[in-house]
Amino acid sequence: MASSTESNTRPIRLADIAKAAGVSHGTASNVFSRPEIVREEVRERVKAAAEAMGYAGPDPKGRLLRAGKVNAIGVATTEPLSYFFDDPFARAMMAGISEACDATGAGIALVSAGNQEKLAWNIQSALVDGFILFCIEGGSRLVELTRERKLPFVALELGFDDDTVSAIGVDNVAGARLAAHHLAELGHRRFAVLSLPFADDRTGPVSPEQVRTAVYPGTRDRLVGYFEALSRFGVDTAVIPVYETENDKASTRAGLETIFASAEPTAILAMSDRIAMAAIEWLAARGIAVPGDVSIIGFDGVPDAALCDPPLTTIAQPIAEIGRRAARTILDFDGTVRRETLGVELVVRATSGPPPKTA
């Protein structure tokens, strides 16, 4: 016989409600799952018993897991949760993911953590059918943890290179060539590069060895594309300063201070629109005109880029479409590894122009 302590602490079960209401377990279950087939009198009796005993209804997790599908996608990153709301690229990507989920009635769970232990727990405990991975930093760890769940996942190819992983991204080399060619064709010959991470937890000037051993091929490919295009214009790429940022304002400002302390570039190749927009702010605060003194081109084509002052010239990738395709990869998963590379385009606005005549 259960002790009074056990009876006071044991969770109220559906069987308890059925007994209190004088109905079968199946009838009590139908009141919560298929109320239209239960007589109103019985429904009211069962609900009254449930309310009196403090029973809120069957655990939805158990019901979903028994069904084998929860109709939700996890979107995971090692960045803080605020990344999904603060970063313009993430916001544009989430718009595409949300559109695809809305079309099927699927939900979205944002998965993030401040440290590796919490990230592992959040990945393991997320109630989802699969994951979309923002592989910006910590991409290898994200993939490792997600593999352990044995659920479908797709990497947004911001720099993760593994042919066994489904991924959707863009041709980074081609996009970077377009950016560098545009500025070189305008007459620029003195360049600087503000890059995305080549590896985790590192910022600062980049050496050739760090490029060669890059953890994130997407970053390396953009630099390769820049240098390929500039070499065709006779630019000595060996002397171009390259500064690795964390794709935020603080490291971008640090990079510009380092670059301008020893060089006078007339053109800046920024590997993201977020970096480019932070650079515009830094230059404006120092009275350096864009594009009169320094031209800047970004990479991404986020909506914010068209609204900054001046509007940003950029390499636009189909961010929302990538998000839609990533969501459909999970929602329509058939066991196939899918790797898609989408095209990009040059969008010329007001931050690129010829170099100053004194340059």
mmCIF file with all atom_site columns, all heavy atoms in Angstrom, residues 200-220:
data_model
loop_
_atom_site.group_PDB
_atom_site.id
_atom_site.type_symbol
_atom_site.label_atom_id
_atom_site.label_alt_id
_atom_site.label_comp_id
_atom_site.label_asym_id
_atom_site.label_entity_id
_atom_site.label_seq_id
_atom_site.pdbx_PDB_ins_code
_atom_site.Cartn_x
_atom_site.Cartn_y
_atom_site.Cartn_z
_atom_site.occupancy
_atom_site.B_iso_or_equiv
_atom_site.pdbx_formal_charge
_atom_site.auth_seq_id
_atom_site.auth_comp_id
_atom_site.auth_asym_id
_atom_site.auth_atom_id
_atom_site.pdbx_PDB_model_num
ATOM 1   N N   . ASP A 1 200 ? 37.963 29.029 -34.436 1.00 0.00 ? 200 ASP A N   1
ATOM 2   C CA  . ASP A 1 200 ? 37.195 29.464 -33.271 1.00 0.00 ? 200 ASP A CA  1
ATOM 3   C C   . ASP A 1 200 ? 38.059 30.255 -32.295 1.00 0.00 ? 200 ASP A C   1
ATOM 4   O O   . ASP A 1 200 ? 39.257 29.987 -32.126 1.00 0.00 ? 200 ASP A O   1
ATOM 5   C CB  . ASP A 1 200 ? 36.613 28.249 -32.539 1.00 0.00 ? 200 ASP A CB  1
ATOM 6   C CG  . ASP A 1 200 ? 35.577 27.520 -33.374 1.00 0.00 ? 200 ASP A CG  1
ATOM 7   O OD1 . ASP A 1 200 ? 34.953 28.171 -34.232 1.00 0.00 ? 200 ASP A OD1 1
ATOM 8   O OD2 . ASP A 1 200 ? 35.380 26.309 -33.154 1.00 0.00 ? 200 ASP A OD2 1
ATOM 9   N N   . ASP A 1 201 ? 37.418 31.220 -31.625 1.00 0.00 ? 201 ASP A N   1
ATOM 10  C CA  . ASP A 1 201 ? 38.034 31.934 -30.496 1.00 0.00 ? 201 ASP A CA  1
ATOM 11  C C   . ASP A 1 201 ? 39.357 32.602 -30.862 1.00 0.00 ? 201 ASP A C   1
ATOM 12  O O   . ASP A 1 201 ? 40.346 32.515 -30.133 1.00 0.00 ? 201 ASP A O   1
ATOM 13  C CB  . ASP A 1 201 ? 38.256 30.974 -29.315 1.00 0.00 ? 201 ASP A CB  1
ATOM 14  C CG  . ASP A 1 201 ? 36.958 30.329 -28.868 1.00 0.00 ? 201 ASP A CG  1
ATOM 15  O OD1 . ASP A 1 201 ? 35.930 31.033 -28.830 1.00 0.00 ? 201 ASP A OD1 1
ATOM 16  O OD2 . ASP A 1 201 ? 36.973 29.122 -28.575 1.00 0.00 ? 201 ASP A OD2 1
ATOM 17  N N   . ARG A 1 202 ? 39.371 33.275 -32.009 1.00 0.00 ? 202 ARG A N   1
ATOM 18  C CA  . ARG A 1 202 ? 40.596 33.953 -32.412 1.00 0.00 ? 202 ARG A CA  1
ATOM 19  C C   . ARG A 1 202 ? 40.261 35.195 -33.211 1.00 0.00 ? 202 ARG A C   1
ATOM 20  O O   . ARG A 1 202 ? 39.356 35.193 -34.032 1.00 0.00 ? 202 ARG A O   1
ATOM 21  C CB  . ARG A 1 202 ? 41.463 32.998 -33.260 1.00 0.00 ? 202 ARG A CB  1
ATOM 22  C CG  . ARG A 1 202 ? 42.863 33.513 -33.555 1.00 0.00 ? 202 ARG A CG  1
ATOM 23  C CD  . ARG A 1 202 ? 43.646 32.516 -34.376 1.00 0.00 ? 202 ARG A CD  1
ATOM 24  N NE  . ARG A 1 202 ? 43.138 32.401 -35.757 1.00 0.00 ? 202 ARG A NE  1
ATOM 25  C CZ  . ARG A 1 202 ? 43.449 31.427 -36.600 1.00 0.00 ? 202 ARG A CZ  1
ATOM 26  N NH1 . ARG A 1 202 ? 44.210 30.428 -36.180 1.00 0.00 ? 202 ARG A NH1 1
ATOM 27  N NH2 . ARG A 1 202 ? 42.976 31.420 -37.828 1.00 0.00 ? 202 ARG A NH2 1
ATOM 28  N N   . THR A 1 203 ? 40.971 36.285 -32.950 1.00 0.00 ? 203 THR A N   1
ATOM 29  C CA  . THR A 1 203 ? 40.877 37.494 -33.769 1.00 0.00 ? 203 THR A CA  1
ATOM 30  C C   . THR A 1 203 ? 42.283 38.033 -33.970 1.00 0.00 ? 203 THR A C   1
ATOM 31  O O   . THR A 1 203 ? 43.213 37.652 -33.261 1.00 0.00 ? 203 THR A O   1
ATOM 32  C CB  . THR A 1 203 ? 40.011 38.581 -33.100 1.00 0.00 ? 203 THR A CB  1
ATOM 33  O OG1 . THR A 1 203 ? 40.634 38.987 -31.867 1.00 0.00 ? 203 THR A OG1 1
ATOM 34  C CG2 . THR A 1 203 ? 38.601 38.086 -32.831 1.00 0.00 ? 203 THR A CG2 1
ATOM 35  N N   . GLY A 1 204 ? 42.426 38.949 -34.929 1.00 0.00 ? 204 GLY A N   1
ATOM 36  C CA  . GLY A 1 204 ? 43.714 39.591 -35.134 1.00 0.00 ? 204 GLY A CA  1
ATOM 37  C C   . GLY A 1 204 ? 44.219 39.437 -36.550 1.00 0.00 ? 204 GLY A C   1
ATOM 38  O O   . GLY A 1 204 ? 43.551 38.854 -37.416 1.00 0.00 ? 204 GLY A O   1
ATOM 39  N N   . PRO A 1 205 ? 45.409 39.984 -36.818 1.00 0.00 ? 205 PRO A N   1
ATOM 40  C CA  . PRO A 1 205 ? 46.005 39.848 -38.152 1.00 0.00 ? 205 PRO A CA  1
ATOM 41  C C   . PRO A 1 205 ? 46.162 38.382 -38.537 1.00 0.00 ? 205 PRO A C   1
ATOM 42  O O   . PRO A 1 205 ? 46.480 37.537 -37.700 1.00 0.00 ? 205 PRO A O   1
ATOM 43  C CB  . PRO A 1 205 ? 47.370 40.531 -37.990 1.00 0.00 ? 205 PRO A CB  1
ATOM 44  C CG  . PRO A 1 205 ? 47.178 41.485 -36.846 1.00 0.00 ? 205 PRO A CG  1
ATOM 45  C CD  . PRO A 1 205 ? 46.231 40.790 -35.910 1.00 0.00 ? 205 PRO A CD  1
ATOM 46  N N   . VAL A 1 206 ? 45.949 38.100 -39.802 1.00 0.00 ? 206 VAL A N   1
ATOM 47  C CA  . VAL A 1 206 ? 45.943 36.712 -40.281 1.00 0.00 ? 206 VAL A CA  1
ATOM 48  C C   . VAL A 1 206 ? 47.213 36.419 -41.072 1.00 0.00 ? 206 VAL A C   1
ATOM 49  O O   . VAL A 1 206 ? 47.582 37.175 -41.976 1.00 0.00 ? 206 VAL A O   1
ATOM 50  C CB  . VAL A 1 206 ? 44.703 36.461 -41.164 1.00 0.00 ? 206 VAL A CB  1
ATOM 51  C CG1 . VAL A 1 206 ? 44.716 35.045 -41.732 1.00 0.00 ? 206 VAL A CG1 1
ATOM 52  C CG2 . VAL A 1 206 ? 43.428 36.696 -40.355 1.00 0.00 ? 206 VAL A CG2 1
ATOM 53  N N   . SER A 1 207 ? 47.838 35.300 -40.749 1.00 0.00 ? 207 SER A N   1
ATOM 54  C CA  . SER A 1 207 ? 49.038 34.870 -41.471 1.00 0.00 ? 207 SER A CA  1
ATOM 55  C C   . SER A 1 207 ? 48.644 33.869 -42.554 1.00 0.00 ? 207 SER A C   1
ATOM 56  O O   . SER A 1 207 ? 47.574 33.253 -42.487 1.00 0.00 ? 207 SER A O   1
ATOM 57  C CB  . SER A 1 207 ? 50.013 34.190 -40.503 1.00 0.00 ? 207 SER A CB  1
ATOM 58  O OG  . SER A 1 207 ? 49.471 32.953 -40.048 1.00 0.00 ? 207 SER A OG  1
ATOM 59  N N   . PRO A 1 208 ? 49.515 33.664 -43.560 1.00 0.00 ? 208 PRO A N   1
ATOM 60  C CA  . PRO A 1 208 ? 49.233 32.650 -44.585 1.00 0.00 ? 208 PRO A CA  1
ATOM 61  C C   . PRO A 1 208 ? 49.004 31.265 -43.993 1.00 0.00 ? 208 PRO A C   1
ATOM 62  O O   . PRO A 1 208 ? 48.179 30.495 -44.495 1.00 0.00 ? 208 PRO A O   1
ATOM 63  C CB  . PRO A 1 208 ? 50.480 32.695 -45.470 1.00 0.00 ? 208 PRO A CB  1
ATOM 64  C CG  . PRO A 1 208 ? 50.989 34.096 -45.316 1.00 0.00 ? 208 PRO A CG  1
ATOM 65  C CD  . PRO A 1 208 ? 50.727 34.447 -43.882 1.00 0.00 ? 208 PRO A CD  1
ATOM 66  N N   . GLU A 1 209 ? 49.718 30.931 -42.922 1.00 0.00 ? 209 GLU A N   1
ATOM 67  C CA  . GLU A 1 209 ? 49.550 29.625 -42.284 1.00 0.00 ? 209 GLU A CA  1
ATOM 68  C C   . GLU A 1 209 ? 48.156 29.480 -41.687 1.00 0.00 ? 209 GLU A C   1
ATOM 69  O O   . GLU A 1 209 ? 47.531 28.419 -41.776 1.00 0.00 ? 209 GLU A O   1
ATOM 70  C CB  . GLU A 1 209 ? 50.606 29.445 -41.191 1.00 0.00 ? 209 GLU A CB  1
ATOM 71  C CG  . GLU A 1 209 ? 50.461 28.165 -40.362 1.00 0.00 ? 209 GLU A CG  1
ATOM 72  C CD  . GLU A 1 209 ? 50.624 26.882 -41.169 1.00 0.00 ? 209 GLU A CD  1
ATOM 73  O OE1 . GLU A 1 209 ? 51.141 26.947 -42.314 1.00 0.00 ? 209 GLU A OE1 1
ATOM 74  O OE2 . GLU A 1 209 ? 50.235 25.817 -40.663 1.00 0.00 ? 209 GLU A OE2 1
ATOM 75  N N   . GLN A 1 210 ? 47.655 30.544 -41.090 1.00 0.00 ? 210 GLN A N   1
ATOM 76  C CA  . GLN A 1 210 ? 46.301 30.499 -40.520 1.00 0.00 ? 210 GLN A CA  1
ATOM 77  C C   . GLN A 1 210 ? 45.245 30.346 -41.611 1.00 0.00 ? 210 GLN A C   1
ATOM 78  O O   . GLN A 1 210 ? 44.226 29.700 -41.395 1.00 0.00 ? 210 GLN A O   1
ATOM 79  C CB  . GLN A 1 210 ? 46.049 31.761 -39.688 1.00 0.00 ? 210 GLN A CB  1
ATOM 80  C CG  . GLN A 1 210 ? 46.837 31.784 -38.389 1.00 0.00 ? 210 GLN A CG  1
ATOM 81  C CD  . GLN A 1 210 ? 46.764 33.118 -37.675 1.00 0.00 ? 210 GLN A CD  1
ATOM 82  O OE1 . GLN A 1 210 ? 46.685 34.167 -38.318 1.00 0.00 ? 210 GLN A OE1 1
ATOM 83  N NE2 . GLN A 1 210 ? 46.796 33.087 -36.358 1.00 0.00 ? 210 GLN A NE2 1
ATOM 84  N N   . VAL A 1 211 ? 45.499 30.932 -42.762 1.00 0.00 ? 211 VAL A N   1
ATOM 85  C CA  . VAL A 1 211 ? 44.578 30.751 -43.890 1.00 0.00 ? 211 VAL A CA  1
ATOM 86  C C   . VAL A 1 211 ? 44.609 29.299 -44.352 1.00 0.00 ? 211 VAL A C   1
ATOM 87  O O   . VAL A 1 211 ? 43.568 28.675 -44.580 1.00 0.00 ? 211 VAL A O   1
ATOM 88  C CB  . VAL A 1 211 ? 44.943 31.688 -45.053 1.00 0.00 ? 211 VAL A CB  1
ATOM 89  C CG1 . VAL A 1 211 ? 44.055 31.400 -46.265 1.00 0.00 ? 211 VAL A CG1 1
ATOM 90  C CG2 . VAL A 1 211 ? 44.806 33.149 -44.633 1.00 0.00 ? 211 VAL A CG2 1
ATOM 91  N N   . ARG A 1 212 ? 45.796 28.744 -44.457 1.00 0.00 ? 212 ARG A N   1
ATOM 92  C CA  . ARG A 1 212 ? 45.960 27.375 -44.956 1.00 0.00 ? 212 ARG A CA  1
ATOM 93  C C   . ARG A 1 212 ? 45.291 26.359 -44.037 1.00 0.00 ? 212 ARG A C   1
ATOM 94  O O   . ARG A 1 212 ? 44.724 25.362 -44.502 1.00 0.00 ? 212 ARG A O   1
ATOM 95  C CB  . ARG A 1 212 ? 47.451 27.040 -45.096 1.00 0.00 ? 212 ARG A CB  1
ATOM 96  C CG  . ARG A 1 212 ? 47.733 25.704 -45.781 1.00 0.00 ? 212 ARG A CG  1
ATOM 97  C CD  . ARG A 1 212 ? 49.222 25.401 -45.822 1.00 0.00 ? 212 ARG A CD  1
ATOM 98  N NE  . ARG A 1 212 ? 49.745 25.162 -44.486 1.00 0.00 ? 212 ARG A NE  1
ATOM 99  C CZ  . ARG A 1 212 ? 49.601 24.003 -43.818 1.00 0.00 ? 212 ARG A CZ  1
ATOM 100 N NH1 . ARG A 1 212 ? 48.937 23.005 -44.383 1.00 0.00 ? 212 ARG A NH1 1
ATOM 101 N NH2 . ARG A 1 212 ? 50.125 23.864 -42.623 1.00 0.00 ? 212 ARG A NH2 1
ATOM 102 N N   . THR A 1 213 ? 45.339 26.603 -42.726 1.00 0.00 ? 213 THR A N   1
ATOM 103 C CA  . THR A 1 213 ? 44.793 25.649 -41.749 1.00 0.00 ? 213 THR A CA  1
ATOM 104 C C   . THR A 1 213 ? 43.406 26.057 -41.246 1.00 0.00 ? 213 THR A C   1
ATOM 105 O O   . THR A 1 213 ? 42.972 25.643 -40.178 1.00 0.00 ? 213 THR A O   1
ATOM 106 C CB  . THR A 1 213 ? 45.746 25.519 -40.547 1.00 0.00 ? 213 THR A CB  1
ATOM 107 O OG1 . THR A 1 213 ? 45.919 26.812 -39.943 1.00 0.00 ? 213 THR A OG1 1
ATOM 108 C CG2 . THR A 1 213 ? 47.095 24.984 -40.981 1.00 0.00 ? 213 THR A CG2 1
ATOM 109 N N   . ALA A 1 214 ? 42.697 26.876 -42.003 1.00 0.00 ? 214 ALA A N   1
ATOM 110 C CA  . ALA A 1 214 ? 41.398 27.393 -41.576 1.00 0.00 ? 214 ALA A CA  1
ATOM 111 C C   . ALA A 1 214 ? 40.422 26.269 -41.221 1.00 0.00 ? 214 ALA A C   1
ATOM 112 O O   . ALA A 1 214 ? 40.293 25.287 -41.961 1.00 0.00 ? 214 ALA A O   1
ATOM 113 C CB  . ALA A 1 214 ? 40.802 28.266 -42.669 1.00 0.00 ? 214 ALA A CB  1
ATOM 114 N N   . VAL A 1 215 ? 39.740 26.435 -40.095 1.00 0.00 ? 215 VAL A N   1
ATOM 115 C CA  . VAL A 1 215 ? 38.686 25.502 -39.704 1.00 0.00 ? 215 VAL A CA  1
ATOM 116 C C   . VAL A 1 215 ? 37.453 25.712 -40.581 1.00 0.00 ? 215 VAL A C   1
ATOM 117 O O   . VAL A 1 215 ? 36.746 24.761 -40.914 1.00 0.00 ? 215 VAL A O   1
ATOM 118 C CB  . VAL A 1 215 ? 38.324 25.699 -38.213 1.00 0.00 ? 215 VAL A CB  1
ATOM 119 C CG1 . VAL A 1 215 ? 37.096 24.864 -37.836 1.00 0.00 ? 215 VAL A CG1 1
ATOM 120 C CG2 . VAL A 1 215 ? 39.511 25.344 -37.327 1.00 0.00 ? 215 VAL A CG2 1
ATOM 121 N N   . TYR A 1 216 ? 37.250 26.972 -40.980 1.00 0.00 ? 216 TYR A N   1
ATOM 122 C CA  . TYR A 1 216 ? 36.054 27.310 -41.754 1.00 0.00 ? 216 TYR A CA  1
ATOM 123 C C   . TYR A 1 216 ? 36.418 27.611 -43.201 1.00 0.00 ? 216 TYR A C   1
ATOM 124 O O   . TYR A 1 216 ? 36.906 28.689 -43.529 1.00 0.00 ? 216 TYR A O   1
ATOM 125 C CB  . TYR A 1 216 ? 35.328 28.496 -41.107 1.00 0.00 ? 216 TYR A CB  1
ATOM 126 C CG  . TYR A 1 216 ? 34.799 28.119 -39.754 1.00 0.00 ? 216 TYR A CG  1
ATOM 127 C CD1 . TYR A 1 216 ? 35.425 28.556 -38.598 1.00 0.00 ? 216 TYR A CD1 1
ATOM 128 C CD2 . TYR A 1 216 ? 33.707 27.267 -39.646 1.00 0.00 ? 216 TYR A CD2 1
ATOM 129 C CE1 . TYR A 1 216 ? 34.961 28.161 -37.350 1.00 0.00 ? 216 TYR A CE1 1
ATOM 130 C CE2 . TYR A 1 216 ? 33.238 26.874 -38.408 1.00 0.00 ? 216 TYR A CE2 1
ATOM 131 C CZ  . TYR A 1 216 ? 33.866 27.316 -37.267 1.00 0.00 ? 216 TYR A CZ  1
ATOM 132 O OH  . TYR A 1 216 ? 33.407 26.922 -36.036 1.00 0.00 ? 216 TYR A OH  1
ATOM 133 N N   . PRO A 1 217 ? 36.213 26.636 -44.093 1.00 0.00 ? 217 PRO A N   1
ATOM 134 C CA  . PRO A 1 217 ? 36.566 26.816 -45.497 1.00 0.00 ? 217 PRO A CA  1
ATOM 135 C C   . PRO A 1 217 ? 35.823 27.971 -46.160 1.00 0.00 ? 217 PRO A C   1
ATOM 136 O O   . PRO A 1 217 ? 36.314 28.547 -47.122 1.00 0.00 ? 217 PRO A O   1
ATOM 137 C CB  . PRO A 1 217 ? 36.169 25.482 -46.140 1.00 0.00 ? 217 PRO A CB  1
ATOM 138 C CG  . PRO A 1 217 ? 36.146 24.505 -45.015 1.00 0.00 ? 217 PRO A CG  1
ATOM 139 C CD  . PRO A 1 217 ? 35.694 25.287 -43.827 1.00 0.00 ? 217 PRO A CD  1
ATOM 140 N N   . GLY A 1 218 ? 34.629 28.303 -45.675 1.00 0.00 ? 218 GLY A N   1
ATOM 141 C CA  . GLY A 1 218 ? 33.887 29.411 -46.276 1.00 0.00 ? 218 GLY A CA  1
ATOM 142 C C   . GLY A 1 218 ? 34.647 30.716 -46.176 1.00 0.00 ? 218 GLY A C   1
ATOM 143 O O   . GLY A 1 218 ? 34.685 31.507 -47.128 1.00 0.00 ? 218 GLY A O   1
ATOM 144 N N   . THR A 1 219 ? 35.279 30.948 -45.030 1.00 0.00 ? 219 THR A N   1
ATOM 145 C CA  . THR A 1 219 ? 36.095 32.150 -44.850 1.00 0.00 ? 219 THR A CA  1
ATOM 146 C C   . THR A 1 219 ? 37.314 32.102 -45.763 1.00 0.00 ? 219 THR A C   1
ATOM 147 O O   . THR A 1 219 ? 37.642 33.079 -46.445 1.00 0.00 ? 219 THR A O   1
ATOM 148 C CB  . THR A 1 219 ? 36.547 32.274 -43.386 1.00 0.00 ? 219 THR A CB  1
ATOM 149 O OG1 . THR A 1 219 ? 35.404 32.257 -42.534 1.00 0.00 ? 219 THR A OG1 1
ATOM 150 C CG2 . THR A 1 219 ? 37.324 33.557 -43.163 1.00 0.00 ? 219 THR A CG2 1
ATOM 151 N N   . ARG A 1 220 ? 37.979 30.954 -45.778 1.00 0.00 ? 220 ARG A N   1
ATOM 152 C CA  . ARG A 1 220 ? 39.151 30.795 -46.649 1.00 0.00 ? 220 ARG A CA  1
ATOM 153 C C   . ARG A 1 220 ? 38.774 31.004 -48.109 1.00 0.00 ? 220 ARG A C   1
ATOM 154 O O   . ARG A 1 220 ? 39.495 31.679 -48.862 1.00 0.00 ? 220 ARG A O   1
ATOM 155 C CB  . ARG A 1 220 ? 39.739 29.397 -46.450 1.00 0.00 ? 220 ARG A CB  1
ATOM 156 C CG  . ARG A 1 220 ? 41.007 29.128 -47.275 1.00 0.00 ? 220 ARG A CG  1
ATOM 157 C CD  . ARG A 1 220 ? 41.332 27.659 -47.276 1.00 0.00 ? 220 ARG A CD  1
ATOM 158 N NE  . ARG A 1 220 ? 40.249 26.871 -47.858 1.00 0.00 ? 220 ARG A NE  1
ATOM 159 C CZ  . ARG A 1 220 ? 39.899 25.652 -47.444 1.00 0.00 ? 220 ARG A CZ  1
ATOM 160 N NH1 . ARG A 1 220 ? 40.516 25.085 -46.435 1.00 0.00 ? 220 ARG A NH1 1
ATOM 161 N NH2 . ARG A 1 220 ? 38.925 25.006 -48.050 1.00 0.00 ? 220 ARG A NH2 1
#
